[in-house]
Amino acid sequence: QEYGIIQGYEDGTFRPDNSITRGAFAGILDRFMQFQSVSPAGTFSDLTGSYWEEQILKLNAAGVYLGNNGKALASDSITRQQAVAMIARAFDITTSTTALPYTDADQISEYAIPAVAEMTARGWLNDSTDGRFRPTDPITRAEIVNIFSNMVQTLIQDSGTHTGDVNGTVMVNASGSVSLENMKISGDLILAPGVTGPVTLTNVTIAG
C-alpha cells in the first residue's frame, strides 16, 4: 500500500482472501518492476480494448506474460503456479532442480516446477501449512503480498540519495538518478527495468 503496488477497494476493505485476475496481476507486476518496452497491439487475439492491455503487452515484451494459444485470458483468475512462474520470469530467477517438498508436487505443471522449486528453496513460498502447494488454486491478494514481502524488503522508487542499512533485499525501480551511500545490504540489490538513469554506489556492502 505504501509503495502503491497494491491497493484496497473503494469501500476501504482489502479483501485478502479474494482471487485476482491475470490482468490485474500483470498490473501489480508492472507497478513493481516498471517495465519499459511494449509488444505490438494485436499480440494477443483477445486483448484489444482490455483495461490491462498496456500492462500485459509490457510484460509480454519482457518475456514474462506468455499467454495461452495466442490469448491473454486477462479476465481469468490467475493460479498459484501461474503467478509464481511469472514472478520468476520477471525477476530473472535462475530456476532450480531441487526436489519439491510438497505432497501434491505431482499436480504442478511442468512449466512451473523449476520456479516453484527455486522460490521454495529461497524461503519465498512459505504459506504451505498442510504440506500442499495447491498449484491450480487461484492465488489470493494476501498470498501475493506475502511473496513480494519475502522477496524484497526495501523498494526505492524515488530519485536522489538513499542511506541506511537494510536487512534483506533492496530493489530500485526509480527512473531518475539514484545514489546509495553508506549502506549495508544483507540480501541482494536488484535494479528493475524501471531504472533508466544512473545508480551510484558509495561505501555500499552487498552480502547477497
Side-chain angles (χ1 to χ4, degrees), residues 155-173:
L155 177 61
I156 296 177
Q157 297 173 300
D158 300 321
S159 303
T161 301
H162 299 266
T163 63
D165 297 344
V166 174
N167 182 24
T169 289
V170 175
M171 186 167 82
V172 181
N173 70 3

Side-chain angles (χ1 to χ4, degrees), residues 130-149:
D130 60 358
R132 298 184 303 136
F133 178 68
R134 296 172 285 114
T136 59
D137 282 6
I139 196 166
T140 68
R141 290 164 56 84
E143 288 168 347
I144 292 169
V145 171
N146 180 59
I147 293 172
F148 286 143
S149 178

